[in-house]
Amino acid sequence: MTDEAPLGPGAEFDMIRAMLERWGPRANGVGDDAAIVHVPRGDVLLASVDTAVETQHFRREWLTPRELGYRAVAAALSDLAAMAARPLGVLVAMTVPDAWLGDVAGIADGIGEAVAAVRTPVLGGNLSAGGELSITTTVLGSAFAPLRRTTARAGDIVYVTGSLGGVAEALRRLEHGGRGEPGGPGGPQRERFAHPTPRLAEARWLAERGATAAIDISDGLLADVRHLAAASRVAIAIDGAAVPCMPGVSHETAQHSGEEYELVVTASAPIDVKEFARLFGLPLTEIGTVSAGEPGVTVDGQRVAASAGYDHFSR
Amino acid sequence: MTDEAPLGPGAEFDMIRAMLERWGPRANGVGDDAAIVHVPRGDVLLASVDTAVETQHFRREWLTPRELGYRAVAAALSDLAAMAARPLGVLVAMTVPDAWLGDVAGIADGIGEAVAAVRTPVLGGNLSAGGELSITTTVLGSAFAPLRRTTARAGDIVYVTGSLGGVAEALRRLEHGGRGEPGGPGGPQRERFAHPTPRLAEARWLAERGATAAIDISDGLLADVRHLAAASRVAIAIDGAAVPCMPGVSHETAQHSGEEYELVVTASAPIDVKEFARLFGLPLTEIGTVSAGEPGVTVDGQRVAASAGYDHFSR
């Protein structure tokens, strides 16, 4: 890239240089004090940040370094999907303990895989030493009319993409079964944990077809629907039996499984779920309705308690 | 703020809520999946990320929680100053060990102080548990014509803002003297370590008066001038005696002191240093010249080795 600023000397720069070589054209504009990004005229900028910390979000033996890098960035990109944005690029700040130095190349490959899958560049980053591996990803995107959490309205239909529960089931098996190689004790659901897909194209399609609000599932379906209901100041009724479950997963598990990175969207008129499935090879399922009333969520008429979902600070 | 999305339940949200209360109008747009930011028409977006990790970048006994929060964000904002950008906002991802939970309010106050000082909002963030305190700040800014590292040209004059060496001297005293209260063993230079000022207004003023390139001093004057020389593919000669030193600091210390967050700028014609000092209460000092030739830096004719400066991965 002719626009690149050649990097200076030092071991930190050598590591950055090695990552840039692995990324090739997937890195863009790295090397100055800040990355220069062109936001499409008329669009607003969307920005979000997400952190994956060793021991809090994953255990080293569960994922390959490549999967780890992929997953950190894909999870962060999911926040752009929830706003129906087009990605403009990512910045990655990594804290790398000595014991992980040999895995940086693998992690970089996973980051490269995640950005390539959505055709967006790595714009910049930061490398620090530290006592635990940590990957903080800032995602930048743009949209003419972003989908909000605040805009679900009484009368809307609630949809969810994909099939839920695989992540919780994979984590349950990994916690009991040790290492998580493909085909190993993570089971068939492991791929859902190791390789989440940010639903970016799906979200833009849904926004173009009249979706009124959206959120991605990071804390668990019911917890995130609660966030949506609170933000939009509406009541949401979920039909428990309608929640799409991965094979071998209970409805209960599907309703609470976190870090799924599927989307919950509301729409004021029915969306063509067959067309969605045909285009994206993914189910889109009607699971509930929005009404006026005290903000909150019910499943089959039962109110969902505030504690539903995963919370890193409630241990 | 009418545009805010009310947050959902849970202890993590309670902590975020407590921080938002402390920030008041200094937080803006927090609560959706991503922050919505309006980039001024005609400007490019500038984005950078910076991490402060306990034990790597500071010791707990050296700084108050408020100073820690202030310093992390001010240091990140300095990268926008180096591009002569106007800040649009910051996103803060914090990893908080149990032992630090009581200090989160103080850290939040320092973050609030840093953004208020440059009149920019906190746009979003992330909170995680973890084994060591870590603050990763993403800064977003915009500029019509950002100042690059790549654009210093033969014949340019080299300037530096402020007086250097105070940070290294404060760190030397803190490393020997323990706690770093104001008036304590950090000495009169402690303020330079605890309370750096991103030179945002100064940078824009310099850019308007013909500055050709800039970099901020994070690795040390000579190391960062090397980065500038490498990026611009020029030779830079520094007059060692001209480097402005804080009282009580040697020229050697001033030349290598890192995390100063002063600016090195180049300009093709002389800049009115008296007017600069009058406007900003800060010296602007001519310290060298740019010429064609092998990229690199000399001080009083002596070539600067590649190892100059601080490097988190060379321990």
Side-chain angles (χ1 to χ4, degrees):
Chain A
M1 284 155 286
T2 54
D3 205 35
E4 296 300 280
L7 294 163
E12 188 174 341
F13 290 106
D14 290 343
M15 285 181 65
I16 294 170
R17 216 177 260 122
M19 292 206 293
L20 291 177
E21 274 167 27
R22 299 189 91 84
W23 290 335
R26 290 170 293 178
N28 192 353
V30 176
D32 215 318
D33 292 283
I36 298 178
V37 188
H38 298 269
V39 178
R41 189 186 292 204
D43 275 14
V44 290
L45 172 69
L46 298 161
S48 177
V49 64
D50 199 28
T51 301
V53 183
E54 189 182 354
T55 71
Q56 299 301 320
H57 298 88
F58 59 88
R59 293 192 204 152
R60 187 169 188 170
E61 61 270 25
W62 288 354
L63 295 168
T64 66
R66 185 185 172 109
E67 287 171 339
L68 200 56
Y70 173 88
R71 191 172 181 281
V73 172
L77 286 166
S78 180
D79 280 322
L80 291 183
M83 309 286 287
R86 267 173 214 286
L88 293 170
V90 307
L91 299 101
V92 184
M94 283 175 60
T95 302
V96 184
D98 287 347
W100 280 89
L101 285 177
D103 294 315
V104 168
I107 294 170
D109 285 349
I111 292 169
E113 184 190 342
V115 297
V118 302
R119 295 188 182 81
T120 204
V122 177
L123 296 167
N126 189 270
L127 267 179
S128 294
E132 66 195 346
L133 185 76
S134 167
I135 306 175
T136 296
T137 309
T138 303
V139 291
L140 301 176
S142 82
F144 180 74
L147 267 185
R148 308 288 307 264
R149 286 185 188 185
T150 48
T151 42
R153 294 292 169 256
D156 284 357
I157 307 162
V158 182
Y159 293 93
V160 68
T161 64
S163 298
L164 306 178
V167 177
E169 182 65 19
L171 285 172
R172 194 186 62 76
R173 294 182 186 214
L174 287 168
E175 272 164 3
H176 288 84
R179 300 189 66 84
E181 285 90 2
Q189 291 87 3
R190 180 180 178 277
E191 183 69 4
R192 290 282 306 150
F193 172 65
H195 213 266
T197 306
R199 302 300 187 192
L200 286 154
E202 292 85 345
R204 292 198 299 272
W205 188 90
L206 290 163
E208 284 162 12
R209 271 144 200 89
T212 52
I215 191 168
D216 69 324
I217 302 180
S218 52
D219 295 338
L221 173 68
L222 296 189
D224 288 307
V225 171
R226 264 190 72 94
H227 300 331
L228 185 63
S232 292
R233 298 181 178 87
V234 293
I236 297 181
I238 299 293
D239 173 5
V243 173
C245 302
M246 268 201 82
V249 169
S250 72
H251 274 276
E252 178 73 13
T253 298
Q255 288 171 15
H256 293 94
S257 177
E259 304 184 346
E260 291 276 345
Y261 304 117
E262 296 294 346
L263 297 177
V264 175
V265 297
T266 56
S268 54
I271 289 174
D272 186 343
V273 298
K274 281 188 187 155
E275 177 69 2
F276 182 93
R278 192 184 66 75
L279 277 172
F280 299 109
L282 190 76
L284 178 71
T285 310
E286 186 179 328
I287 58 166
T289 52
V290 181
S291 63
E294 200 193 333
V297 178
T298 55
V299 178
D300 304 332
Q302 295 274 76
R303 194 161 181 89
V304 176
S307 61
Y310 188 71
D311 182 335
H312 295 300
F313 279 101
S314 294
R315 285 164 305 166
Chain B
M1 284 154 286
T2 55
D3 206 34
E4 296 299 279
L7 295 163
E12 188 174 340
F13 290 105
D14 291 341
M15 284 180 66
I16 294 171
R17 218 177 259 120
M19 291 204 293
L20 291 177
E21 274 165 29
R22 298 189 92 84
W23 290 334
R26 290 171 294 179
N28 191 353
V30 176
D32 215 318
D33 292 283
I36 298 178
V37 188
H38 297 269
V39 178
R41 188 185 293 205
D43 274 15
V44 291
L45 171 69
L46 298 162
S48 177
V49 63
D50 199 28
T51 301
V53 182
E54 188 183 353
T55 72
Q56 299 301 320
H57 299 87
F58 59 88
R59 292 192 204 153
R60 187 170 188 168
E61 62 269 26
W62 289 353
L63 295 168
T64 66
R66 185 184 172 110
E67 288 171 339
L68 200 56
Y70 172 87
R71 191 172 182 282
V73 172
L77 285 165
S78 179
D79 280 322
L80 291 183
M83 310 285 289
R86 265 173 217 286
L88 293 170
V90 307
L91 299 103
V92 184
M94 282 176 59
T95 301
V96 183
D98 287 347
W100 281 89
L101 284 177
D103 294 314
V104 168
I107 294 171
D109 285 348
I111 293 169
E113 184 191 342
V115 296
V118 302
R119 295 190 181 80
T120 204
V122 177
L123 296 167
N126 190 270
L127 267 178
S128 296
E132 65 193 350
L133 185 75
S134 167
I135 306 174
T136 296
T137 309
T138 302
V139 292
L140 301 176
S142 80
F144 181 73
L147 267 186
R148 309 289 307 267
R149 286 186 187 183
T150 47
T151 41
R153 292 293 169 255
D156 284 358
I157 307 163
V158 182
Y159 293 92
V160 68
T161 64
S163 298
L164 306 178
V167 177
E169 183 63 21
L171 285 172
R172 193 187 62 77
R173 293 182 187 212
L174 288 168
E175 272 162 4
H176 288 84
R179 299 188 66 83
E181 286 91 2
Q189 292 87 4
R190 181 180 178 277
E191 184 69 4
R192 289 281 308 149
F193 172 64
H195 213 265
T197 306
R199 303 300 187 192
L200 286 155
E202 292 85 344
R204 292 198 299 273
W205 188 90
L206 289 163
E208 285 160 12
R209 270 144 199 90
T212 52
I215 191 168
D216 70 323
I217 301 180
S218 54
D219 295 338
L221 173 68
L222 295 189
D224 287 307
V225 171
R226 263 191 73 93
H227 300 334
L228 185 62
S232 292
R233 298 182 177 88
V234 293
I236 296 181
I238 299 293
D239 173 5
V243 173
C245 302
M246 271 201 79
V249 169
S250 73
H251 274 276
E252 178 73 13
T253 297
Q255 289 172 14
H256 293 94
S257 177
E259 303 183 348
E260 291 275 345
Y261 304 117
E262 296 294 347
L263 297 177
V264 175
V265 296
T266 55
S268 54
I271 288 174
D272 186 341
V273 297
K274 282 188 186 154
E275 177 70 1
F276 182 93
R278 191 185 66 75
L279 277 172
F280 299 108
L282 190 76
L284 178 71
T285 310
E286 185 178 329
I287 58 165
T289 52
V290 180
S291 62
E294 200 193 334
V297 177
T298 55
V299 178
D300 304 332
Q302 294 276 74
R303 195 160 181 88
V304 175
S307 60
Y310 189 71
D311 181 335
H312 295 300
F313 279 101
S314 293
R315 285 164 304 167

mmCIF file with all atom_site columns, all heavy atoms in Angstrom, chain A residues 119-138:
data_model
loop_
_atom_site.group_PDB
_atom_site.id
_atom_site.type_symbol
_atom_site.label_atom_id
_atom_site.label_alt_id
_atom_site.label_comp_id
_atom_site.label_asym_id
_atom_site.label_entity_id
_atom_site.label_seq_id
_atom_site.pdbx_PDB_ins_code
_atom_site.Cartn_x
_atom_site.Cartn_y
_atom_site.Cartn_z
_atom_site.occupancy
_atom_site.B_iso_or_equiv
_atom_site.pdbx_formal_charge
_atom_site.auth_seq_id
_atom_site.auth_comp_id
_atom_site.auth_asym_id
_atom_site.auth_atom_id
_atom_site.pdbx_PDB_model_num
ATOM 1   N N   . ARG A 1 119 ? -15.168 -8.491  4.509  1.00 0.00 ? 119 ARG A N   1
ATOM 2   C CA  . ARG A 1 119 ? -14.534 -7.554  3.573  1.00 0.00 ? 119 ARG A CA  1
ATOM 3   C C   . ARG A 1 119 ? -14.300 -6.181  4.189  1.00 0.00 ? 119 ARG A C   1
ATOM 4   O O   . ARG A 1 119 ? -14.684 -5.151  3.643  1.00 0.00 ? 119 ARG A O   1
ATOM 5   C CB  . ARG A 1 119 ? -15.385 -7.405  2.308  1.00 0.00 ? 119 ARG A CB  1
ATOM 6   C CG  . ARG A 1 119 ? -15.484 -8.677  1.485  1.00 0.00 ? 119 ARG A CG  1
ATOM 7   C CD  . ARG A 1 119 ? -16.170 -8.418  0.148  1.00 0.00 ? 119 ARG A CD  1
ATOM 8   N NE  . ARG A 1 119 ? -16.319 -9.634  -0.635 1.00 0.00 ? 119 ARG A NE  1
ATOM 9   C CZ  . ARG A 1 119 ? -17.300 -10.521 -0.445 1.00 0.00 ? 119 ARG A CZ  1
ATOM 10  N NH1 . ARG A 1 119 ? -18.198 -10.326 0.487  1.00 0.00 ? 119 ARG A NH1 1
ATOM 11  N NH2 . ARG A 1 119 ? -17.374 -11.608 -1.205 1.00 0.00 ? 119 ARG A NH2 1
ATOM 12  N N   . THR A 1 120 ? -13.658 -6.177  5.355  1.00 0.00 ? 120 THR A N   1
ATOM 13  C CA  . THR A 1 120 ? -13.327 -4.906  6.003  1.00 0.00 ? 120 THR A CA  1
ATOM 14  C C   . THR A 1 120 ? -11.868 -4.968  6.448  1.00 0.00 ? 120 THR A C   1
ATOM 15  O O   . THR A 1 120 ? -11.337 -6.062  6.664  1.00 0.00 ? 120 THR A O   1
ATOM 16  C CB  . THR A 1 120 ? -14.304 -4.637  7.184  1.00 0.00 ? 120 THR A CB  1
ATOM 17  O OG1 . THR A 1 120 ? -14.361 -3.233  7.433  1.00 0.00 ? 120 THR A OG1 1
ATOM 18  C CG2 . THR A 1 120 ? -13.893 -5.365  8.460  1.00 0.00 ? 120 THR A CG2 1
ATOM 19  N N   . PRO A 1 121 ? -11.173 -3.837  6.556  1.00 0.00 ? 121 PRO A N   1
ATOM 20  C CA  . PRO A 1 121 ? -9.751  -3.890  6.914  1.00 0.00 ? 121 PRO A CA  1
ATOM 21  C C   . PRO A 1 121 ? -9.476  -3.790  8.410  1.00 0.00 ? 121 PRO A C   1
ATOM 22  O O   . PRO A 1 121 ? -10.313 -3.332  9.184  1.00 0.00 ? 121 PRO A O   1
ATOM 23  C CB  . PRO A 1 121 ? -9.173  -2.660  6.206  1.00 0.00 ? 121 PRO A CB  1
ATOM 24  C CG  . PRO A 1 121 ? -10.299 -1.682  6.208  1.00 0.00 ? 121 PRO A CG  1
ATOM 25  C CD  . PRO A 1 121 ? -11.583 -2.494  6.092  1.00 0.00 ? 121 PRO A CD  1
ATOM 26  N N   . VAL A 1 122 ? -8.272  -4.235  8.807  1.00 0.00 ? 122 VAL A N   1
ATOM 27  C CA  . VAL A 1 122 ? -7.714  -3.862  10.109 1.00 0.00 ? 122 VAL A CA  1
ATOM 28  C C   . VAL A 1 122 ? -7.091  -2.476  9.933  1.00 0.00 ? 122 VAL A C   1
ATOM 29  O O   . VAL A 1 122 ? -6.202  -2.293  9.110  1.00 0.00 ? 122 VAL A O   1
ATOM 30  C CB  . VAL A 1 122 ? -6.634  -4.861  10.575 1.00 0.00 ? 122 VAL A CB  1
ATOM 31  C CG1 . VAL A 1 122 ? -6.030  -4.401  11.903 1.00 0.00 ? 122 VAL A CG1 1
ATOM 32  C CG2 . VAL A 1 122 ? -7.214  -6.256  10.716 1.00 0.00 ? 122 VAL A CG2 1
ATOM 33  N N   . LEU A 1 123 ? -7.584  -1.506  10.698 1.00 0.00 ? 123 LEU A N   1
ATOM 34  C CA  . LEU A 1 123 ? -7.170  -0.106  10.528 1.00 0.00 ? 123 LEU A CA  1
ATOM 35  C C   . LEU A 1 123 ? -6.044  0.291   11.471 1.00 0.00 ? 123 LEU A C   1
ATOM 36  O O   . LEU A 1 123 ? -5.377  1.297   11.254 1.00 0.00 ? 123 LEU A O   1
ATOM 37  C CB  . LEU A 1 123 ? -8.358  0.815   10.810 1.00 0.00 ? 123 LEU A CB  1
ATOM 38  C CG  . LEU A 1 123 ? -9.546  0.697   9.884  1.00 0.00 ? 123 LEU A CG  1
ATOM 39  C CD1 . LEU A 1 123 ? -10.743 1.430   10.479 1.00 0.00 ? 123 LEU A CD1 1
ATOM 40  C CD2 . LEU A 1 123 ? -9.202  1.275   8.519  1.00 0.00 ? 123 LEU A CD2 1
ATOM 41  N N   . GLY A 1 124 ? -5.882  -0.474  12.548 1.00 0.00 ? 124 GLY A N   1
ATOM 42  C CA  . GLY A 1 124 ? -4.874  -0.088  13.521 1.00 0.00 ? 124 GLY A CA  1
ATOM 43  C C   . GLY A 1 124 ? -4.964  -0.977  14.731 1.00 0.00 ? 124 GLY A C   1
ATOM 44  O O   . GLY A 1 124 ? -5.763  -1.918  14.766 1.00 0.00 ? 124 GLY A O   1
ATOM 45  N N   . GLY A 1 125 ? -4.132  -0.667  15.726 1.00 0.00 ? 125 GLY A N   1
ATOM 46  C CA  . GLY A 1 125 ? -4.170  -1.501  16.913 1.00 0.00 ? 125 GLY A CA  1
ATOM 47  C C   . GLY A 1 125 ? -3.131  -1.080  17.913 1.00 0.00 ? 125 GLY A C   1
ATOM 48  O O   . GLY A 1 125 ? -2.517  -0.020  17.804 1.00 0.00 ? 125 GLY A O   1
ATOM 49  N N   . ASN A 1 126 ? -2.953  -1.929  18.897 1.00 0.00 ? 126 ASN A N   1
ATOM 50  C CA  . ASN A 1 126 ? -2.025  -1.662  19.983 1.00 0.00 ? 126 ASN A CA  1
ATOM 51  C C   . ASN A 1 126 ? -1.579  -3.002  20.541 1.00 0.00 ? 126 ASN A C   1
ATOM 52  O O   . ASN A 1 126 ? -2.389  -3.914  20.666 1.00 0.00 ? 126 ASN A O   1
ATOM 53  C CB  . ASN A 1 126 ? -2.740  -0.839  21.064 1.00 0.00 ? 126 ASN A CB  1
ATOM 54  C CG  . ASN A 1 126 ? -1.782  -0.327  22.115 1.00 0.00 ? 126 ASN A CG  1
ATOM 55  O OD1 . ASN A 1 126 ? -1.546  -1.002  23.111 1.00 0.00 ? 126 ASN A OD1 1
ATOM 56  N ND2 . ASN A 1 126 ? -1.206  0.828   21.906 1.00 0.00 ? 126 ASN A ND2 1
ATOM 57  N N   . LEU A 1 127 ? -0.290  -3.125  20.870 1.00 0.00 ? 127 LEU A N   1
ATOM 58  C CA  . LEU A 1 127 ? 0.222   -4.344  21.489 1.00 0.00 ? 127 LEU A CA  1
ATOM 59  C C   . LEU A 1 127 ? 0.840   -3.975  22.829 1.00 0.00 ? 127 LEU A C   1
ATOM 60  O O   . LEU A 1 127 ? 1.649   -3.049  22.895 1.00 0.00 ? 127 LEU A O   1
ATOM 61  C CB  . LEU A 1 127 ? 1.311   -4.954  20.608 1.00 0.00 ? 127 LEU A CB  1
ATOM 62  C CG  . LEU A 1 127 ? 0.929   -6.009  19.593 1.00 0.00 ? 127 LEU A CG  1
ATOM 63  C CD1 . LEU A 1 127 ? 2.176   -6.435  18.829 1.00 0.00 ? 127 LEU A CD1 1
ATOM 64  C CD2 . LEU A 1 127 ? 0.286   -7.217  20.262 1.00 0.00 ? 127 LEU A CD2 1
ATOM 65  N N   . SER A 1 128 ? 0.448   -4.681  23.888 1.00 0.00 ? 128 SER A N   1
ATOM 66  C CA  . SER A 1 128 ? 1.061   -4.468  25.198 1.00 0.00 ? 128 SER A CA  1
ATOM 67  C C   . SER A 1 128 ? 1.448   -5.820  25.778 1.00 0.00 ? 128 SER A C   1
ATOM 68  O O   . SER A 1 128 ? 0.805   -6.829  25.495 1.00 0.00 ? 128 SER A O   1
ATOM 69  C CB  . SER A 1 128 ? 0.070   -3.817  26.169 1.00 0.00 ? 128 SER A CB  1
ATOM 70  O OG  . SER A 1 128 ? -0.257  -2.524  25.751 1.00 0.00 ? 128 SER A OG  1
ATOM 71  N N   . ALA A 1 129 ? 2.456   -5.829  26.619 1.00 0.00 ? 129 ALA A N   1
ATOM 72  C CA  . ALA A 1 129 ? 2.708   -6.982  27.462 1.00 0.00 ? 129 ALA A CA  1
ATOM 73  C C   . ALA A 1 129 ? 1.689   -6.951  28.602 1.00 0.00 ? 129 ALA A C   1
ATOM 74  O O   . ALA A 1 129 ? 0.993   -5.958  28.806 1.00 0.00 ? 129 ALA A O   1
ATOM 75  C CB  . ALA A 1 129 ? 4.131   -6.941  27.996 1.00 0.00 ? 129 ALA A CB  1
ATOM 76  N N   . GLY A 1 130 ? 1.581   -8.067  29.337 1.00 0.00 ? 130 GLY A N   1
ATOM 77  C CA  . GLY A 1 130 ? 0.633   -8.101  30.454 1.00 0.00 ? 130 GLY A CA  1
ATOM 78  C C   . GLY A 1 130 ? 0.548   -9.506  31.006 1.00 0.00 ? 130 GLY A C   1
ATOM 79  O O   . GLY A 1 130 ? 1.176   -10.429 30.478 1.00 0.00 ? 130 GLY A O   1
ATOM 80  N N   . GLY A 1 131 ? -0.240  -9.685  32.040 1.00 0.00 ? 131 GLY A N   1
ATOM 81  C CA  . GLY A 1 131 ? -0.304  -10.957 32.730 1.00 0.00 ? 131 GLY A CA  1
ATOM 82  C C   . GLY A 1 131 ? -1.345  -11.915 32.189 1.00 0.00 ? 131 GLY A C   1
ATOM 83  O O   . GLY A 1 131 ? -1.310  -13.111 32.478 1.00 0.00 ? 131 GLY A O   1
ATOM 84  N N   . GLU A 1 132 ? -2.318  -11.419 31.406 1.00 0.00 ? 132 GLU A N   1
ATOM 85  C CA  . GLU A 1 132 ? -3.322  -12.318 30.832 1.00 0.00 ? 132 GLU A CA  1
ATOM 86  C C   . GLU A 1 132 ? -3.637  -11.860 29.418 1.00 0.00 ? 132 GLU A C   1
ATOM 87  O O   . GLU A 1 132 ? -3.604  -10.665 29.125 1.00 0.00 ? 132 GLU A O   1
ATOM 88  C CB  . GLU A 1 132 ? -4.600  -12.353 31.704 1.00 0.00 ? 132 GLU A CB  1
ATOM 89  C CG  . GLU A 1 132 ? -5.371  -11.064 31.748 1.00 0.00 ? 132 GLU A CG  1
ATOM 90  C CD  . GLU A 1 132 ? -6.401  -11.028 32.878 1.00 0.00 ? 132 GLU A CD  1
ATOM 91  O OE1 . GLU A 1 132 ? -6.709  -12.067 33.469 1.00 0.00 ? 132 GLU A OE1 1
ATOM 92  O OE2 . GLU A 1 132 ? -6.902  -9.926  33.145 1.00 0.00 ? 132 GLU A OE2 1
ATOM 93  N N   . LEU A 1 133 ? -3.960  -12.844 28.560 1.00 0.00 ? 133 LEU A N   1
ATOM 94  C CA  . LEU A 1 133 ? -4.277  -12.496 27.183 1.00 0.00 ? 133 LEU A CA  1
ATOM 95  C C   . LEU A 1 133 ? -5.591  -11.743 27.138 1.00 0.00 ? 133 LEU A C   1
ATOM 96  O O   . LEU A 1 133 ? -6.582  -12.146 27.753 1.00 0.00 ? 133 LEU A O   1
ATOM 97  C CB  . LEU A 1 133 ? -4.391  -13.745 26.308 1.00 0.00 ? 133 LEU A CB  1
ATOM 98  C CG  . LEU A 1 133 ? -4.593  -13.408 24.815 1.00 0.00 ? 133 LEU A CG  1
ATOM 99  C CD1 . LEU A 1 133 ? -3.284  -12.952 24.191 1.00 0.00 ? 133 LEU A CD1 1
ATOM 100 C CD2 . LEU A 1 133 ? -5.157  -14.589 24.047 1.00 0.00 ? 133 LEU A CD2 1
ATOM 101 N N   . SER A 1 134 ? -5.616  -10.651 26.406 1.00 0.00 ? 134 SER A N   1
ATOM 102 C CA  . SER A 1 134 ? -6.813  -9.840  26.272 1.00 0.00 ? 134 SER A CA  1
ATOM 103 C C   . SER A 1 134 ? -6.834  -9.258  24.867 1.00 0.00 ? 134 SER A C   1
ATOM 104 O O   . SER A 1 134 ? -5.814  -8.782  24.377 1.00 0.00 ? 134 SER A O   1
ATOM 105 C CB  . SER A 1 134 ? -6.767  -8.742  27.340 1.00 0.00 ? 134 SER A CB  1
ATOM 106 O OG  . SER A 1 134 ? -7.717  -7.758  27.079 1.00 0.00 ? 134 SER A OG  1
ATOM 107 N N   . ILE A 1 135 ? -7.985  -9.365  24.211 1.00 0.00 ? 135 ILE A N   1
ATOM 108 C CA  . ILE A 1 135 ? -8.144  -8.818  22.858 1.00 0.00 ? 135 ILE A CA  1
ATOM 109 C C   . ILE A 1 135 ? -9.327  -7.856  22.888 1.00 0.00 ? 135 ILE A C   1
ATOM 110 O O   . ILE A 1 135 ? -10.466 -8.270  23.117 1.00 0.00 ? 135 ILE A O   1
ATOM 111 C CB  . ILE A 1 135 ? -8.403  -9.928  21.815 1.00 0.00 ? 135 ILE A CB  1
ATOM 112 C CG1 . ILE A 1 135 ? -7.309  -11.002 21.885 1.00 0.00 ? 135 ILE A CG1 1
ATOM 113 C CG2 . ILE A 1 135 ? -8.498  -9.334  20.415 1.00 0.00 ? 135 ILE A CG2 1
ATOM 114 C CD1 . ILE A 1 135 ? -7.561  -12.193 20.970 1.00 0.00 ? 135 ILE A CD1 1
ATOM 115 N N   . THR A 1 136 ? -9.049  -6.568  22.717 1.00 0.00 ? 136 THR A N   1
ATOM 116 C CA  . THR A 1 136 ? -10.110 -5.559  22.680 1.00 0.00 ? 136 THR A CA  1
ATOM 117 C C   . THR A 1 136 ? -10.259 -5.080  21.246 1.00 0.00 ? 136 THR A C   1
ATOM 118 O O   . THR A 1 136 ? -9.307  -4.585  20.656 1.00 0.00 ? 136 THR A O   1
ATOM 119 C CB  . THR A 1 136 ? -9.785  -4.384  23.613 1.00 0.00 ? 136 THR A CB  1
ATOM 120 O OG1 . THR A 1 136 ? -9.756  -4.857  24.958 1.00 0.00 ? 136 THR A OG1 1
ATOM 121 C CG2 . THR A 1 136 ? -10.842 -3.289  23.504 1.00 0.00 ? 136 THR A CG2 1
ATOM 122 N N   . THR A 1 137 ? -11.457 -5.263  20.704 1.00 0.00 ? 137 THR A N   1
ATOM 123 C CA  . THR A 1 137 ? -11.703 -4.921  19.309 1.00 0.00 ? 137 THR A CA  1
ATOM 124 C C   . THR A 1 137 ? -12.655 -3.738  19.223 1.00 0.00 ? 137 THR A C   1
ATOM 125 O O   . THR A 1 137 ? -13.754 -3.788  19.770 1.00 0.00 ? 137 THR A O   1
ATOM 126 C CB  . THR A 1 137 ? -12.336 -6.114  18.563 1.00 0.00 ? 137 THR A CB  1
ATOM 127 O OG1 . THR A 1 137 ? -11.546 -7.275  18.802 1.00 0.00 ? 137 THR A OG1 1
ATOM 128 C CG2 . THR A 1 137 ? -12.430 -5.843  17.069 1.00 0.00 ? 137 THR A CG2 1
ATOM 129 N N   . THR A 1 138 ? -12.224 -2.689  18.558 1.00 0.00 ? 138 THR A N   1
ATOM 130 C CA  . THR A 1 138 ? -13.114 -1.582  18.245 1.00 0.00 ? 138 THR A CA  1
ATOM 131 C C   . THR A 1 138 ? -13.588 -1.763  16.816 1.00 0.00 ? 138 THR A C   1
ATOM 132 O O   . THR A 1 138 ? -12.764 -1.974  15.914 1.00 0.00 ? 138 THR A O   1
ATOM 133 C CB  . THR A 1 138 ? -12.388 -0.235  18.362 1.00 0.00 ? 138 THR A CB  1
ATOM 134 O OG1 . THR A 1 138 ? -11.859 -0.116  19.679 1.00 0.00 ? 138 THR A OG1 1
ATOM 135 C CG2 . THR A 1 138 ? -13.340 0.927   18.082 1.00 0.00 ? 138 THR A CG2 1
#
